[in-house]
Amino acid sequence: MALIGNWRLKVCASVLSAVLAICVLCVWNGADARAADPAAGSSHFRVIAIAEHGGIHKPFVDAAKIWLDKLASEKDFSVDYIEDTSKIDDAFLAKYKLFIQLNYPPYGWTDTAAASFVKYIEQGKGGWIGFHHATLLGEFDGFQMWPWFHDFMGGIRFKDYIATFVTGTVTVEAPDHPVMRGVPSPFVIKDEEWYTYDKSPRPNVHVLASVDENTYTPETDKKMGDHPVIWSNEHLKARNVYIFMGHRPEHFGNPAFTRIFTNAIFWAAGEEAR
């Protein structure tokens, strides 16, 4: 009986050793797989941001990069930066879940970049956030207006801007939209060069917020009446949002502005807020 008992103990020990070895091997292989593919089991995503090199908007762009890089390190995404459209094609855009147009105009793009961007937006291959300069629609620097982008922005044409800068109060019109969640209404934007357009984009877009021109300080006669400043074109497959404010680096010290930008990143990229 003692021999049988010892034999059973040896068999059990052998089986247990084999099971443990298999478990260790599985864990090891899993770790190797994750090392080979850092994205496995991760919610990490990539963002491409385009901004002009230099110019009057450089202080805003520089501040945006610092803010974006800090947020990316905290929220598990990464941002690459380009200063022109020469690299943009289908393969390039396929690497990114979100395209941020940081004060880059809607003209002067290469034909390849324009075609790939249109496909990216129309087919919903990624999301888009545009700031400020993205609605500089018209004939500028020897370029004709881009008809597709004109429609994308609600059929508007740039008309004028407040060169002396004024402070204005912005009202949230769509508090339940993911981009505007947690944003107080109204909120104040200081010292902006508020653009005016030939008409309001409202009939063609979903307006998320508008500026009350009666609150402009100091007073100015450069007004357009109904004045949306944040909107989304829901006729296109890509999640997209245009945010007019984008001239002064001080905006990154405004909690309402940074909340809007943060919300927009995760919503447009199709990611849960973090």
Side-chain angles (χ1 to χ4, degrees):
M1 293 293 291
L3 290 174
I4 293 174
N6 289 337
W7 176 79
R8 285 177 175 170
L9 286 172
K10 289 180 180 179
V11 170
C12 289
S14 297
V15 170
L16 182 58
S17 296
V19 169
L20 287 172
I22 291 170
C23 289
V24 170
L25 184 62
C26 288
V27 171
W28 194 354
N29 286 341
D32 284 349
R34 286 190 294 273
D37 181 10
S42 170
S43 56
H44 185 87
F45 63 96
R46 297 180 67 185
V47 176
I48 184 66
I50 185 170
E52 292 175 298
H53 176 71
I56 60 173
H57 296 119
K58 188 177 186 300
F60 174 85
V61 171
D62 289 345
K65 288 179 177 179
I66 293 170
W67 182 85
L68 274 170
D69 289 343
K70 183 176 184 295
L71 185 70
S73 68
E74 295 172 350
K75 303 294 186 179
D76 192 26
F77 66 94
S78 58
V79 187
D80 296 329
Y81 300 97
I82 54 176
E83 294 182 342
D84 59 45
T85 64
S86 60
K87 292 182 178 179
I88 297 176
D89 58 20
D90 291 348
F92 179 83
L93 291 179
K95 297 184 291 185
Y96 301 101
K97 293 192 72 173
L98 176 62
F99 188 111
I100 300 178
Q101 201 165 329
L102 272 178
N103 277 329
Y104 197 87
Y107 58 81
W109 296 41
T110 69
D111 291 343
T112 298
S116 294
F117 180 76
V118 168
K119 189 185 301 182
Y120 185 81
I121 299 299
E122 290 187 343
Q123 297 181 9
K125 293 177 178 291
W128 178 85
I129 304 170
F131 284 93
H132 200 56
H133 223 180
T135 54
L136 195 62
L137 289 154
E139 292 72 35
F140 296 96
D141 301 331
F143 295 98
Q144 296 299 304
M145 185 162 65
W146 183 356
W148 181 89
F149 214 103
H150 169 69
D151 292 339
F152 181 33
M153 290 293 93
I156 58 174
R157 173 185 284 268
F158 175 88
K159 183 178 178 181
D160 206 344
Y161 71 104
I162 303 174
T164 54
F165 294 81
V166 297
T167 293
T169 298
V170 176
T171 301
V172 174
E173 296 194 23
D176 293 330
H177 192 283
V179 171
M180 305 310 296
R181 285 179 187 161
V183 179
S185 182
F187 61 91
V188 174
I189 293 293
K190 295 182 178 179
D191 302 326
E192 255 296 356
E193 56 170 4
W194 308 89
Y195 287 0
T196 60
Y197 309 106
D198 63 335
K199 61 184 178 181
S200 169
R202 187 180 295 275
N204 303 312
V205 298
H206 182 189
V207 174
L208 307 185
S210 57
V211 64
D212 180 355
E213 295 177 331
N214 293 321
T215 66
Y216 282 167
T217 307
E219 278 276 348
T220 175
D221 59 357
K222 291 186 178 178
K223 299 178 180 180
M224 57 177 281
D226 179 31
H227 196 155
V229 290
I230 305 175
W231 65 79
S232 178
N233 187 333
E234 297 177 346
H235 302 291
L236 295 159
K237 193 171 181 180
R239 291 183 176 187
N240 64 85
V241 60
Y242 171 71
I243 301 166
F244 163 74
M245 295 77 75
H247 189 91
R248 301 175 70 250
E250 288 82 1
H251 291 334
F252 289 95
N254 183 330
F257 179 82
T258 54
R259 170 50 51 196
I260 292 165
F261 198 170
T262 302
N263 288 349
I265 288 169
F266 292 102
W267 174 74
E271 295 283 333
E272 292 293 327
R274 301 174 191 171

